[in-house]
Amino acid sequence: NHIAFPELFLPLGVKVKSLLKSELLVKKFKLKLSQLLDAGHKSTERILVKRQSVTFSPRNIEDVSGFMKDLSEEGRSPMGKFLEGIQKQIRSREENNSVSTVWLQDDAQNKRSGGKTPLDEDEVLD
C-alpha cells in the first residue's frame, strides 16, 4: 500500500508480460506469474482511483503518510493478498518437508536396527 506503487510496478509488469509469452517456462510458474500480474494491476488500479482525488503534492510528506494510512485502513491490497497466499504455501511446504525428513530419518534408523522398531523389540520381551 504505497502511493508510488503504480510507477514502481510498471517495469515489473512489462517484464512479467514478456515472460508470459515465453514457451520455455513451466505451466505452474506461468500461472503464478499471471496471478502476480493480475494482483499488481488490481492494486495499481485501486491506488490510481484513490489518487485522482488527491490535492497535495508528493513533497508533502504528512499528506502522503495520511494517504497511505487510509489505504492500509481499507484492508489488504490485492498484491498483499497474493503475497500472503504465496507465504502460506511456502510455510505449508516447509512443514511437509520437515515431516518428511523425520519419516526418512526414522526409516533410516529402522534399517540400521535390522528393520525392528522399538515397539517390535518390546513385543519380543513379553
Side-chain angles (χ1 to χ4, degrees), residues 53-108:
S53 64
V54 168
T55 58
F56 57 87
S57 75
R59 289 185 194 153
N60 190 338
I61 295 173
E62 291 173 3
D63 287 340
V64 170
S65 296
F67 177 89
M68 293 189 325
K69 184 179 177 186
D70 290 344
L71 275 177
S72 295
E73 288 173 356
E74 288 179 6
R76 290 177 300 166
S77 68
M79 183 62 87
K81 291 176 186 176
F82 172 76
L83 292 175
E84 191 175 280
I86 295 290
Q87 290 171 341
K88 193 180 284 187
Q89 287 177 347
I90 290 170
R91 274 182 286 195
S92 174
R93 285 185 184 150
E94 286 175 349
E95 289 171 4
N96 289 339
N97 286 342
S98 66
V99 169
S100 297
T101 303
V102 170
W103 286 346
L104 291 174
Q105 289 173 350
D106 288 346
D107 287 344

Side-chain angles (χ1 to χ4, degrees), residues 3 7 14-16 19 30-31 42 51 56 66 77 82-83 103 106 108-109 115 120-121:
I3 195 167
E7 290 78 15
V14 170
K15 184 64 177 176
V16 169
L19 286 172
K30 274 188 170 183
L31 176 65
K42 287 179 182 176
R51 249 178 25 182
F56 57 87
S77 68
F82 172 76
L83 292 175
W103 286 346
D106 288 346
Q109 288 175 349
D120 293 338
E121 293 172 5

